[in-house]
Amino acid sequence: MSVKTIMQHAGHKDKNLYLLSEISDIVSSSLSDKDILEGVLWVLSTQLDVDACWIQNFDHSTKSLMLIAQQGLPETMAKDMDVVELGQGIIGKIAMERKCVFSNDITKDSNYLWEAAVKSGFHSLIAAPVIEGGKLLGILGTVSTKFGVFNVNDLKLLTVISSCISDVCNRTNPETQAMELRRQQDEIIYTQLFLSALSHELKTPLTAIIASTGLLAEELEKKKDETLVKIVQNISKSSSSLQNRLNELLKLSRNKDEAFGISKKKLDFTALVFEIADQVSSLLKQKKQNLSVDVPLSTNIYADEQRIEQILLNLLSNAIKFSPEGGQISLKANSEGNRLVVKIQDCGPGIPNEEKQKLFKPYYHLSTDRTSLPGLGLGLAITKQLVELHGGTIWVQSEPEKGSTFSFSLPLSEKA
């Protein structure tokens, strides 16, 4: 073997390693399954000497392959490959035999003569079944307009790539999706029953607490002890708020499609913030934490007072819960154009990047609080919905070990 041939071989090997590295990065990213598959095909089409490539999923219930992603296929060819029955044509044969194949002349190859591809100008083919645990998940294939471009090494490379995308193909498989849908439906039913039972169980003792608090407030007012009266008033207000939330959960558990309602009016946001700060003062005192509030005086917004209270209480309660004893928490607000931006910062453990996008989903728990700080995982999902009902947005900035800042924006004008 000449030096030139050895160098070409080494360069080809390096190119394949680079290609696999790129595909590995795409597959392990947080992109959607559709974007992952399209990204893999884009890398294939740009790094290998191919003119088109595709991925098909295999549906075991219908015994057919369905085209789910493609790069460079002519429209007519893509249409023919949209649904292919097992054993039908070249693709169906590859799926049935579950063997990796390559042909450098599909115009003359008796085993893999593919008229539709030839009519579209293609001459070389390489394809590999996507298999996981002995189960056929789909087909990964490429075609080229050139003759004789593929070899055994290319076949091995495509086999490795098909293994890399097996998890994604499994997630996008119709059977897997049907099972996931059934699981989600069962979870919704279970959650509805749980919320209904929880609401009923808590309503009776809560009603007694509200009634007893009212009697205690009357007695303390007679003694003119303003400090104790203020504490009891906070208990009464929080209890009434909790009763409203329970009634709402009970209603939502009966009808999962029913949305939260809001009733907007002019609201003194500054005054409300200080009321909420007063409500959480006992929680802060228990953990020896300090809350600093920086809100412009007489800031008015058009919003539902109970809902804004709920948003602030949820975010402040989380900040207190996740911040260590003696920690510093801050609440800042300022106007940016026609919107009010509110930021609540804690000094907790922070949130990993890969978990940020899941935070506002129902029933999601951070990996750091699943056991130490259990809960339903509904707080942030509800908060997001309430902010968006006001025409606002909510987001989080965080780094592990550096705390988190939850921010939300609200329109300042009535029409926004």
Side-chain angles (χ1 to χ4, degrees):
M1 185 181 294
S2 67
V3 174
K4 182 179 179 181
T5 303
I6 293 172
M7 290 178 68
Q8 286 176 339
H9 179 74
H12 184 70
K13 187 176 181 181
D14 288 344
K15 182 181 178 182
N16 287 350
L17 288 173
Y18 176 74
L19 185 149
L20 288 173
S21 176
E22 278 199 282
I23 287 177
S24 177
D25 288 342
I26 293 171
V27 170
S28 61
S29 71
S30 59
L31 294 169
S32 67
D33 290 335
K34 182 177 183 296
D35 288 340
I36 287 174
L37 295 179
E38 289 182 350
V40 168
L41 293 184
W42 183 85
V43 171
L44 266 178
S45 63
T46 55
Q47 297 295 325
L48 290 182
D49 189 12
V50 299
D51 298 290
C53 46
W54 74 91
I55 297 171
Q56 289 166 295
N57 258 349
F58 182 65
D59 187 342
H60 285 261
S61 61
T62 61
K63 302 295 181 185
S64 60
L65 293 151
M66 294 175 292
L67 187 66
I68 57 171
Q70 62 95 4
Q71 184 86 20
L73 286 177
E75 187 176 343
T76 53
M77 196 169 162
K79 189 175 181 180
D80 288 340
M81 295 172 64
D82 192 40
V83 179
V84 179
E85 294 181 4
L86 188 67
Q88 177 188 350
I90 302 304
I91 303 302
K93 183 180 179 180
I94 294 170
M96 187 167 64
E97 294 179 350
R98 299 191 182 194
K99 293 180 180 178
C100 303
V101 300
F102 78 92
S103 173
N104 280 319
D105 189 354
I106 56 176
T107 64
K108 296 178 180 178
D109 194 327
S110 58
N111 291 318
Y112 299 104
L113 182 63
W114 191 359
E115 292 183 5
V118 173
K119 287 179 181 179
S120 296
F122 298 112
H123 297 105
S124 297
L125 158 74
I126 183 169
V130 181
I131 296 173
E132 186 180 70
K135 180 180 179 181
L136 177 66
L137 300 176
I139 297 289
L140 169 64
T142 68
V143 284
S144 172
T145 57
K146 299 176 183 178
F147 288 100
V149 294
F150 298 130
N151 55 42
V152 175
N153 287 329
D154 294 322
L155 190 63
K156 291 178 180 178
L157 177 66
L158 205 69
T159 304
V160 174
I161 295 171
S162 70
S163 298
C164 290
I165 64 171
S166 61
D167 281 345
V168 187
C169 286
N170 190 38
R171 290 198 299 268
T172 56
N173 187 275
E175 290 176 278
T176 305
Q177 290 181 330
M179 288 175 60
E180 177 62 17
L181 180 60
R182 287 194 295 271
R183 187 195 66 77
Q184 290 177 356
Q185 289 172 338
D186 290 342
E187 188 175 273
I188 288 171
I189 293 170
Y190 172 80
T191 303
Q192 287 177 299
L193 292 172
F194 174 73
L195 291 177
S196 180
L198 178 67
S199 299
H200 282 297
E201 287 295 320
L202 293 180
K203 280 186 75 174
T204 301
L206 186 58
T207 301
I209 290 172
I210 292 171
S212 300
T213 304
L215 293 172
L216 181 59
E218 289 177 8
E219 293 298 318
L220 291 174
E221 283 173 0
K222 293 176 185 178
K223 296 181 179 180
K224 298 181 179 180
D225 190 327
E226 293 183 4
T227 302
L228 292 178
V229 168
K230 191 174 181 181
I231 293 172
V232 172
Q233 286 174 343
N234 279 342
I235 295 172
S236 179
K237 188 170 183 179
S238 297
S239 299
S240 297
S241 179
L242 180 57
Q243 188 177 52
N244 290 335
R245 300 292 82 79
L246 283 174
N247 288 335
E248 197 165 67
L249 280 176
L250 186 58
K251 188 187 293 184
L252 288 170
S253 71
R254 290 170 180 161
N255 182 8
K256 69 178 186 298
D257 296 322
E258 187 168 343
F260 292 103
I262 61 170
S263 179
K264 292 183 181 181
K265 64 179 182 180
K266 190 175 182 180
L267 170 65
D268 186 341
F269 181 79
T270 305
L272 180 62
V273 166
F274 283 101
E275 283 183 25
I276 301 300
D278 198 38
Q279 284 188 50
V280 299
S281 59
S282 57
L283 295 176
L284 292 162
K285 190 174 182 180
Q286 283 178 358
K287 295 186 71 174
K288 300 176 183 177
Q289 294 170 341
N290 181 54
L291 171 65
S292 63
V293 177
D294 182 7
V295 181
L297 294 175
S298 302
T299 300
N300 295 315
I301 59 173
Y302 286 88
D304 186 313
E305 182 173 357
Q306 286 190 347
R307 299 307 188 185
I308 300 302
E309 178 183 340
Q310 194 175 350
I311 291 167
L312 290 170
L313 277 173
N314 278 346
L315 294 178
L316 278 174
S317 297
N318 276 351
I320 293 168
K321 179 169 70 172
F322 288 102
S323 294
E325 188 170 318
Q328 176 70 35
I329 299 164
S330 70
L331 188 158
K332 297 179 181 180
N334 62 285
S335 58
E336 294 183 6
N338 66 341
R339 303 184 80 78
L340 177 71
V341 177
V342 184
K343 298 182 178 183
I344 295 174
Q345 184 176 15
D346 64 42
C347 56
I351 302 162
N353 284 329
E354 63 271 15
E355 299 197 42
K356 287 179 186 175
Q357 61 180 340
K358 305 173 187 176
L359 271 180
F360 299 100
K361 292 183 178 180
Y363 316 115
Y364 182 75
H365 293 266
L366 284 171
S367 56
T368 54
D369 70 357
R370 285 188 182 119
T371 54
S372 59
L373 297 165
L376 287 177
L378 285 170
L380 287 176
I382 291 174
T383 300
K384 180 177 184 288
Q385 187 175 354
L386 294 179
V387 169
E388 290 176 349
L389 281 172
H390 281 84
T393 55
I394 186 168
W395 64 97
V396 62
Q397 294 171 296
S398 182
E399 291 182 41
E401 310 303 328
K402 292 185 179 180
S404 305
T405 300
F406 283 84
S407 307
F408 65 92
S409 66
L410 297 170
L412 284 168
S413 61
E414 186 175 6
K415 295 180 181 179

